[in-house]
Amino acid sequence: RAEIQAVVDEIEQSLELLGGLFDLDAARLRLEELNAFTEAPDFWNDPDAAQSVMRERNRLEGAITGIESIEQEL
């Protein structure tokens, strides 16, 4: 039991460190903004800009999902 708790504590500390490097709340807000951009009817009128938005959106979504998955498993 003590070993398991030590591992849990270590994971929680790692998540706190990540929180200092990655602002999860700000990332969620930015993801909402990017999702709103992608819903605009003229979104793909500028393919280069649209691809840039999609890359950022996918990167943020992956990071958020990863952190949330770790928190859920913990």
Side-chain angles (χ1 to χ4, degrees):
R1 174 98 172 109
E3 288 180 34
I4 293 172
Q5 188 59 49
V7 170
V8 168
D9 292 343
E10 187 176 326
I11 293 170
E12 286 176 341
Q13 288 174 353
S14 296
L15 286 171
E16 286 177 24
L17 287 174
L18 278 175
L21 299 173
F22 185 79
D23 185 345
L24 191 55
D25 291 333
R28 287 181 180 131
L29 288 174
R30 180 63 179 154
L31 184 59
E32 287 179 22
E33 291 174 357
L34 294 172
N35 285 334
F37 284 134
T38 64
E39 294 172 4
D42 61 345
F43 177 69
W44 287 104
N45 287 355
D46 182 348
D48 291 334
Q51 287 177 354
S52 177
V53 168
M54 292 303 293
R55 278 192 296 274
E56 181 181 357
R57 185 197 163 285
N58 291 339
R59 181 185 59 79
L60 275 176
E61 186 174 51
I64 291 168
T65 300
I67 290 172
E68 290 174 343
S69 175
I70 291 169
E71 288 175 339
Q72 185 177 14
E73 286 186 41
L74 181 62

